[in-house]
Amino acid sequence: MITEQDIAYEYNGTPGSALAFIIDEDSVYDISLHDPYAQIFLSFDEAVDISDQHPNHDGITVRLLKNGETLEEFQTSEYFGSILLSSPVIINLATHNHGLQTLSPHAKFINNEFITTDHDSSGEVGYLPQFLDQEVRDSICATHCQCYKLK
């Protein structure tokens, strides 16, 4: 059983990943987490609400499955749990145009790229991975951080 505290990324010299959860083109949630947990979220194909088995938890408990096999059980907030139960599209922010500048809920995911909506993120660093050296970070930002407003 894992919780949001278990998966939350804090720089300790190991890689992390930033993921966005998309429902109907809207980026509704993003989170930076340790890579092994990112792989669970990127690979599950079904989430099942098992909250009734954990009555002492205030939020939602979901079982994350792949091909019917349990990958992990996850206790989280009602908001994040509801997103997982809604079969979101999950995107690794580092692999898509404008992903590194994405801040939910101020983005849409249209035609395989992120577009900022009502939030000017042009001066923000976003989710540039802290484990990369500064030269690599500068190179990534120069090629991927040209955010623009949704017209």
Side-chain angles (χ1 to χ4, degrees):
M1 176 82 59
I2 57 174
T3 67
E4 286 187 51
Q5 291 76 26
D6 297 326
I7 67 171
Y9 183 74
E10 291 182 27
Y11 180 70
N12 63 4
T14 61
S17 295
L19 304 180
F21 295 78
I22 313 299
I23 297 176
D24 297 329
E25 296 184 340
D26 292 319
S27 180
V28 294
Y29 193 76
D30 56 63
I31 187 170
S32 184
L33 48 142
H34 291 284
D35 275 348
Y37 298 117
Q39 294 312 309
I40 291 170
F41 286 102
L42 289 168
S43 64
F44 85 92
D45 58 16
E46 181 183 6
V48 177
D49 187 346
I50 58 168
S51 299
D52 58 339
Q53 297 174 21
H54 302 275
N56 293 330
H57 175 64
D58 289 335
I60 292 178
T61 303
V62 295
R63 180 173 291 137
L64 302 174
L65 306 164
K66 175 150 182 107
N67 299 323
E69 297 291 320
T70 299
L71 296 174
E72 191 62 72
E73 291 182 356
F74 180 48
Q75 289 187 325
T76 188
S77 66
E78 280 201 39
Y79 181 69
F80 191 23
S82 296
I83 291 169
L84 293 172
L85 293 168
S86 298
S87 301
V89 173
I90 303 170
I91 304 291
N92 183 333
L93 291 173
T95 63
H96 286 78
N97 285 339
H98 312 291
L100 296 174
Q101 292 297 109
T102 297
L103 296 172
S104 299
H106 306 288
K108 291 200 172 277
F109 188 69
I110 301 171
N111 296 325
N112 208 35
E113 73 178 352
F114 287 95
I115 300 170
T116 58
T117 54
D118 59 353
H119 178 76
D120 181 10
S121 60
S122 58
E124 297 177 6
V125 176
Y127 280 110
L128 284 178
Q130 298 298 315
F131 59 89
L132 297 175
D133 66 37
Q134 189 62 45
E135 184 177 331
V136 173
R137 288 166 50 91
D138 290 344
S139 171
I140 290 171
C141 195
T143 59
H144 292 287
C145 297
Q146 307 87 358
C147 291
Y148 55 93
K149 293 279 190 175
L150 181 64
K151 302 283 187 221

